[in-house]
Each structure stands twice: as structure tokens, then as C-alpha cells.
Amino acid sequence: MQQEETQVTRVTSSTPEQIVRTTRTVAPPVGTEHPKKVYQTKKVIFRTYQIIWYILGIIEVLLAFRIILKMLGANTFSGFTNLIYTLSDPLASPFRGILGITSTQASVFEWSTIIAGIVYAVIAYGIVQLLQLIKPTTPQEVEQSVDNQ
């Protein structure tokens, strides 16, 4: 879409004739990609968002099960409990030792597992926001976004 700006200047003098000067400025068209290519790129980025949030969901569920099973003092020799501990241990171990472990008899509360869940959520959010920076935008989206700021 080309933008055209017209400027009209009227000069009057003491004589009855008028001089009208018309200046026309034509802005170059905005270089945009083909709409189908933009759509495909946005679709890939959208699917990437979905994959990131899905992986985060799996991580958060594993960490939540770990917290609950540890708090309840679940039997570590149980198949399900052992599976959850095995899958969640690599996710929780980088944060082990940040804060102490609160324990009473068989019940254990790992504060580091809660920190791990928060850190993974922040990382996922950061990756999604980074992808927002590379998402193609149309001139209309830019105009709308700037006007709403």
C-alpha cells in the first residue's frame, strides 16, 4: 500500500488571479513478505509456544507430584513413587542445597523443588517472549501496537 501526501499551497496577491501549487509526495511501499509466508512463520512460532508450554506443564506436574509424595512420606519402593522420583530427580537436583529440607518423621518438604518449579516457569516465559521478538508483524499490527502503548 502506497502512502500519498498532497500539499496544496495557495498564494494570493492583490490581483484577482491565484497561483495554486500542488506538491505530491509518494512514500515507497513498505517491504513486506508474502502473506502466506508470514502465516506459515507465525504458525511455526505458535506451535513452538504450544510445545514450550506443554513441556513446562509436564515438568511442573512431575515436580508437584514429587512435592506431594515427599510430604506424604510415600513408600520409595512403590513403582509409581519410584517412577516420579526417578523422572523428577534430574529436574530438582540442580536446585538442591539452595534452601534446607524441612522434615518431620516420614514427611519431607523440599523447598528447592518449589524453587525449581518457579525457575522453569520463568525460563519458559522468557523463551516465549524471545520468540515474540522474531515473530513477523504486519504494518497494521505495528500501527495498532504503537497506538495502544
Side-chain angles (χ1 to χ4, degrees):
M1 173 188 293
Q2 289 186 346
Q3 295 179 346
E4 188 174 298
E5 182 182 310
T6 304
Q7 179 181 8
V8 177
T9 307
R10 292 180 190 252
V11 179
T12 58
S13 63
S14 58
T15 61
E17 59 186 61
Q18 290 183 341
I19 301 172
V20 177
R21 181 184 314 148
T22 304
T23 306
R24 184 169 285 170
T25 306
V26 178
V30 177
T32 59
E33 296 181 28
H34 191 271
K36 189 169 186 164
K37 185 176 180 183
V38 170
Y39 171 75
Q40 291 298 330
T41 305
K42 286 184 176 183
K43 184 178 173 184
V44 168
I45 291 173
F46 177 73
R47 291 292 180 217
T48 306
Y49 292 164
Q50 289 180 320
I51 291 169
I52 291 168
W53 291 125
Y54 184 78
I55 291 171
L56 176 67
I58 291 172
I59 290 171
E60 296 291 335
V61 166
L62 284 172
L63 292 175
F65 272 127
R66 179 184 182 91
I67 291 169
I68 291 169
L69 291 173
K70 291 260 185 178
M71 278 187 358
L72 296 175
N75 183 4
T76 57
F77 296 110
S78 168
F80 179 73
T81 305
N82 191 23
L83 174 69
I84 295 297
Y85 289 167
T86 302
L87 292 175
S88 65
D89 194 51
L91 300 169
S93 64
F95 304 94
R96 196 168 290 134
I98 292 177
L99 296 174
I101 297 173
T102 305
S103 62
T104 58
Q105 296 175 357
S107 180
V108 176
F109 189 77
E110 294 178 330
W111 291 98
S112 59
T113 305
I114 292 184
I115 292 173
I118 294 169
V119 168
Y120 290 126
V122 168
I123 289 171
Y125 179 77
I127 292 171
V128 167
Q129 291 306 308
L130 182 64
L131 289 174
Q132 280 284 79
L133 294 175
I134 64 171
K135 180 180 81 168
T137 58
T138 63
Q140 293 82 13
E141 289 173 335
V142 171
E143 185 78 23
Q144 182 182 13
S145 176
V146 170
D147 288 344
N148 290 334
Q149 294 287 329

